[in-house]
Amino acid sequence: MNTFERVKQLCAQRHLTLAQVNDRAGMGKNSIYSWKTSKPGMENLQKVAKVLHTSADYLLGNTNDSSPVHKDNEHPYVDITDDETIYSYRGKPVPKEYLDVIRNLMDSDIRKGKDR
């Protein structure tokens, strides 16, 4: 599977179109489609990997583990205040309404001093 096919597969799993990922990564129109016939630049590859919550190594086929990789000095937690990030549970996207409920519960706990 080449880079384009891996991106396309992850898009399908996350219920996104290639155009949506392309836009969220801030790349030129149809940039991802050009990856069918040419290799992507590292900067754009990393942008797409970030949007898809995976690693550039996975997209390049260097690993079959699509889990995101964290740098040693970076914690694995994700800030759920970002409305542009797509969250998933068991391979399905988490609806915005669910995230709002989670945010409200966490805000309530923090206000009560239950910061974990």
Side-chain angles (χ1 to χ4, degrees), residues 23-40:
D23 290 346
R24 289 178 184 182
M27 300 185 330
K29 188 173 181 172
N30 296 324
S31 292
I32 293 175
Y33 286 100
S34 71
W35 297 358
K36 285 182 183 180
T37 57
S38 63
K39 291 190 177 200

Side-chain angles (χ1 to χ4, degrees), residues 1-18 21 32-33 35 48 52 54 58-61 63-67 91-93:
M1 195 178 335
N2 68 23
T3 300
F4 176 79
E5 291 164 342
R6 283 180 178 250
V7 169
K8 188 175 176 181
Q9 181 182 49
L10 283 178
C11 284
Q13 289 172 1
R14 287 156 173 71
H15 304 281
L16 294 168
T17 65
L18 289 168
V21 172
I32 293 175
Y33 286 100
W35 297 358
V48 169
L52 292 173
T54 191
Y58 174 76
L59 295 179
L60 289 171
T63 179
N64 288 323
D65 181 4
S66 64
S67 303
K92 305 283 184 191

Side-chain angles (χ1 to χ4, degrees), residues 93-108:
V94 176
K96 182 184 180 318
E97 301 80 41
Y98 286 27
L99 284 175
D100 290 342
V101 169
I102 293 167
R103 287 180 184 116
N104 289 334
L105 288 169
M106 294 179 78
D107 286 341
S108 175

Side-chain angles (χ1 to χ4, degrees), residues 16-88:
L16 294 168
T17 65
L18 289 168
Q20 287 172 316
V21 172
N22 194 88
D23 290 346
R24 289 178 184 182
M27 300 185 330
K29 188 173 181 172
N30 296 324
S31 292
I32 293 175
Y33 286 100
S34 71
W35 297 358
K36 285 182 183 180
T37 57
S38 63
K39 291 190 177 200
M42 190 49 98
E43 184 178 337
N44 282 345
L45 188 70
Q46 288 173 333
K47 288 178 183 179
V48 169
K50 184 175 181 179
V51 170
L52 292 173
H53 301 287
T54 191
S55 67
D57 277 337
Y58 174 76
L59 295 179
L60 289 171
N62 296 333
T63 179
N64 288 323
D65 181 4
S66 64
S67 303
V69 177
H70 300 284
K71 297 175 184 153
D72 291 338
N73 62 347
E74 194 178 282
H75 62 75
Y77 303 111
V78 178
D79 186 356
I80 67 167
T81 60
D82 176 10
D83 286 328
E84 292 298 312
T85 302
I86 294 137
Y87 301 93
S88 65

